[in-house]
Amino acid sequence: MTTRRTFLKWTALSAALLSVKKSSARKISFPAGETKPIVISTWRHGIEANADAWKVLAEGGRALDAVEKGVMNTENDLRNQSVGLGGIPDRDGHVTLDACIMDEKGNCGSVCFLEHIKHPISVARLIMEKTPHVILVGEGAQKFALDNGFTLEKFDRTPESDKAWKEWLKKSEYKPVANFENHDTIGMLAIDKAGNISGSCTTSGMGYKMHGRVGDSPIIGAGLFVDNEVGGACATGTGEEVIRICGSHTVVEMMRAGHSPEEACKIAVERISKSPKNIKEMQIGFLAVNKHGEFGGYALQKGFNYAVQSQEIDNQLQDAKYLW
Ligand code: SD4
């Protein structure tokens, strides 16, 4: 027979067990002390971007400034057909840009479907810092940029993107291609000397998308997510699949639960692999860094790489592991 005393004993015991379980699942503690700065970013173009970001970090600057400066390098390069105004247009011939940025305090800004402005990442930062909003899109975003000193770039497409588009028009077949020219959206994550984490992401989106389409890259939690207590993550590849699982947020939550950055990225990729869509020919990759400065990436298929610059690693490209 259960006496009142044994009942109380068991209740107290199970409550204690429950609280142990709860706290061990939630707890993530990182040692205090001097942090070593690091910057990581997606694809081959990450090398040049990291170099610019590192100038900021090496001088003791903020991770937020580093991730903005870094990806501006990629946006500046008109030969790049997946980031900035040199990007492949949508099916109607418009180059529309998406970007977002997030700092160590959880501030974030995003711009979607922006045309004729060279640095969407800086527009995203300005939205974060100067408006009560997180996201501005299209005409409104462009007006905001122009009102704040950005200039209108008058050309519609670079000669290379124009040529590619006209070639595409012959068949007009939309098909997201894995590892498009082996360079793609740039996502960047950095930790500064103070141990603060920030991230940025900027893209011209999937080539030949429908006019008006927005992918994962400017969506906080999908293309990018930062939690200063845990780490940061960013994504590249077919955005629809990343949005479906709130990709970068998922990666950060997996790190919070105790997984390494690579394991966390792998878990997100495995979830995507169960997509209801036909994703056999698509590429999706995640990149992550935790509060310790440990980093890792994982992709659906072969070909995803990322650039790493820290005090120990001299800006080199690393191949991500992959599922298929
Ligand atoms: C998008 N994620 O617009 C971006 C494009 C990209 O590899 O990263 N492609 O869906």
Side-chain angles (χ1 to χ4, degrees), residues 164-233:
W165 175 57
K166 286 181 176 144
E167 195 52 41
W168 178 83
L169 280 176
K170 289 181 188 161
K171 283 196 186 160
S172 300
E173 242 173 34
Y174 179 70
K175 198 171 167 217
V177 185
N179 305 321
F180 169 73
E181 289 191 5
N182 206 24
H183 64 82
D184 227 305
T185 291
I186 186 155
M188 176 177 276
L189 304 160
I191 306 183
D192 59 28
K193 262 194 187 150
N196 287 325
I197 310 171
S198 292
S200 60
C201 190
T202 177
T203 189
S204 53
M206 299 303 291
Y208 317 120
K209 59 194 174 186
M210 286 175 71
H211 189 56
R213 179 265 189 190
V214 170
D216 62 313
S217 307
I219 307 297
I220 298 294
L224 175 73
F225 194 69
V226 171
D227 182 325
N228 211 41
E229 288 180 8
V230 178

Side-chain angles (χ1 to χ4, degrees), residues 42-43 184-186 216-217 223 234-238 242 283-286 304:
T42 56
W43 303 107
D184 227 305
T185 291
I186 186 155
D216 62 313
S217 307
C234 58
T236 178
T238 310
V242 177
Q283 175 64 302
I284 290 110
F286 290 100
F304 173 46

